[in-house]
Amino acid sequence: MTFAELWRELESLGRDTGTGGYRRYSWTPADAACRAWFTRHAEQRGLAVEADNNGNLWAWWGPKGPKGPNAIVTGSHLDSVPDGGGFDGALGVVAALAAVDLLQEKTFHTERSVVLAVFTEEEGARFGVPCLGSRLLTGAVDADAARALTDDTGTTLAEAMTAAGHDPGRLGSRDDLLDGIGAFVELHVEQGRALAPLGAAVGLAEGIWPHGRWRLDFQGRADHAGTARLADRQDPMLAFARAVLAARHAAADHGSLATFGKVIAEPNGSNAVCSAVRAWLDARAADEATLLETVALVRSAAERSCTHCGVTLSVRQESYTPLVRFDQGLRDRIAAVLAAAGVQAPVLSTGAGHDAGVLAARVPTAMLFVRNPTGISHSPAEHADVPDCEAGVRALAAVLADLAGAK
Ligand code: GLV
Ligand code: MN
Ligand code: MN
């Protein structure tokens, strides 16, 4: 099948018809539909699909049997942020299937297995920890801690997995799987706009900025919006508002990024002072010292405003990803393969997190980016043109053929 044919099939799954954005949260019916779609297509191509103990999908293809050693893995994720774009994650999965189609058009004998992977809860949109499936795989997240994670309705990951027919008791790291991987190459839509001015359809990743998420709980006192005197209020919204401005200033002053994109006000009545505000700070920077300085500034500003407003604050780090530098040897080899195919791929760093960044701690890892003409991502406006996606598929197929030792 062509890329466009595959894309059209997946396009409607988990899409909100009102906003046009995707709501593919892990272990929901939308997620199950995406998994079933991938499984059907991988099986139609003769690949053997299995869900690992952490819910990640692996589709094995190769003459040397179903497992490694030195398997060449490609893939990405199918979950989304709230009202996310269609390309983030899904492009890497569809491109992987389309690359298999290109390779299967030729008589393709490989020395190594080629494997397609779909990682669970990459966005952390439901349970708060991004790249949860790959972090569990590598042991970067403890299984008991993961089982106890809750979504916004209080449902635990263990309960959600059980309801979806997966046993949460088996969560945990899998050295046997990781030891079988020779290289992981993730293709992803570009997030940002570096390729368009360079006239390049495909780029290569150099690294990922360190980044993390912090939860801030502002606890105040509910009161009547029409009668409580300003001086008597303990308004957590006011304290939070000052933290939002502090985040913007700290980021601007340090060349970092700091975002409050998720906030829950309680009890959320329009004619009452809130009792509590829960908010999530997402912070990223080119180096760890700048990142930690940015977070410290937001935190101290929030503490000061809480003191001023008679509000209490608790801060908890929910996830942290240190600086990632992708494997230089693998990147050079991929650049040479692409150059031989006439593709000059610029090398980019990104502030976006990826499963490839987590796997990079354990296996040689690389990323290909496909041009995003506007740069917009985590939004229904996210876009990549079909010819660029097809260029990405051809690039991925050439890389897989080279790495797998195609004859
Ligand atoms: C993943 O998309 C992230 O938040 O960086
Ligand atoms: Mn994303
Ligand atoms: Mn992604």
Side-chain angles (χ1 to χ4, degrees):
M1 285 174 84
T2 64
F3 171 84
E5 287 165 342
L6 281 165
W7 192 256
R8 265 196 300 279
E9 275 194 25
L10 182 62
E11 212 171 15
S12 62
L13 303 184
R15 188 176 211 171
D16 183 80
T17 48
T19 63
Y22 288 87
R23 299 178 182 177
R24 293 171 175 164
Y25 307 133
S26 60
W27 306 119
T28 63
D31 181 55
C34 291
R35 288 165 172 272
W37 178 85
F38 170 77
T39 301
R40 177 164 57 82
H41 277 287
E43 288 179 348
Q44 279 171 1
R45 286 157 177 77
L47 280 61
V49 185
E50 62 181 3
D52 71 17
N53 54 316
N54 298 307
N56 306 310
L57 297 176
W58 302 83
W60 298 85
W61 174 39
K64 285 200 168 175
K67 302 289 185 285
N70 291 329
I72 304 305
V73 182
T74 187
S76 191
H77 61 97
L78 288 171
D79 65 313
S80 77
V81 297
D83 282 337
F87 293 82
D88 182 350
L91 179 56
V93 177
V94 175
L97 289 165
V100 168
D101 284 346
L102 279 189
L103 296 172
Q104 289 189 342
E105 277 170 15
K106 305 175 191 157
T107 316
F108 183 67
H109 299 293
T110 63
E111 287 169 7
R112 299 164 160 198
S113 293
V114 172
V115 187
L116 312 193
V118 178
F119 293 101
T120 300
E121 180 86 356
E122 190 271 354
E123 299 288 5
R126 182 166 181 193
F127 292 102
V129 177
C131 300
L132 185 56
S134 53
R135 285 187 212 265
L136 280 161
L137 171 72
T138 61
V141 163
D142 172 71
D144 282 334
R147 276 186 281 270
L149 290 169
T150 51
D151 67 10
D152 289 339
T153 69
T155 301
T156 64
L157 174 66
E159 289 163 347
M161 284 185 77
T162 304
H166 287 257
D167 177 8
R170 296 170 56 237
L171 289 180
S173 61
R174 288 289 301 276
D175 287 345
D176 59 323
L177 266 174
L178 291 166
D179 290 346
I181 299 176
F184 176 57
V185 181
E186 178 170 359
L187 179 145
H188 204 278
V189 69
E190 181 190 15
Q191 297 170 295
R193 192 173 174 278
L195 293 174
L198 299 172
V202 174
L204 265 171
E206 179 181 43
I208 299 178
W209 282 14
H211 57 281
R213 294 183 190 179
W214 289 262
R215 174 174 157 171
L216 284 75
D217 281 281
F218 298 85
Q219 185 65 49
R221 188 189 62 212
D223 214 330
H224 195 295
T227 58
R229 294 186 330 134
L230 296 182
D232 294 340
R233 294 184 182 193
Q234 292 172 240
D235 186 351
M237 189 63 85
L238 193 55
F240 167 60
R242 290 190 171 140
V244 175
L245 293 175
R248 176 66 184 218
H249 291 138
D253 289 349
H254 289 77
S256 51
L257 296 168
T259 307
F260 281 102
K262 175 174 176 178
V263 54
I264 298 174
E266 292 171 357
N268 217 13
S270 58
N271 54 352
V273 174
C274 294
S275 58
V277 171
R278 279 186 275 152
W280 282 260
L281 172 69
D282 177 306
R284 313 186 187 214
D287 63 84
E288 293 203 36
T290 307
L291 171 61
L292 296 177
E293 169 78 4
T294 302
V295 174
L297 281 169
V298 178
R299 187 178 180 144
S300 60
E303 282 164 354
R304 276 197 308 281
S305 68
C306 282
T307 305
H308 191 252
C309 298
V311 168
T312 60
L313 175 69
S314 73
V315 181
R316 185 158 57 86
Q317 181 179 286
E318 287 198 337
S319 68
Y320 189 79
T321 306
L323 178 72
V324 173
R325 286 198 197 288
F326 291 116
D327 189 272
Q328 176 82 45
L330 182 60
R331 187 187 353 130
D332 291 347
R333 179 165 172 175
I334 291 175
V337 170
L338 297 184
V343 178
Q344 299 302 330
V347 175
L348 318 172
S349 260
T350 179
H354 300 285
D355 295 304
V358 174
L359 263 65
R362 294 293 301 274
V363 298
T365 299
M367 289 191 75
L368 294 170
F369 292 127
V370 169
R371 170 168 50 195
N372 178 339
T374 64
I376 296 171
S377 187
H378 284 186
S379 153
E382 179 185 80
H383 182 71
D385 291 328
V386 169
D388 287 353
C389 296
E390 290 170 340
V393 171
R394 286 193 300 276
L396 182 62
V399 168
L400 296 178
D402 175 71
L403 295 177
K407 302 214 178 23

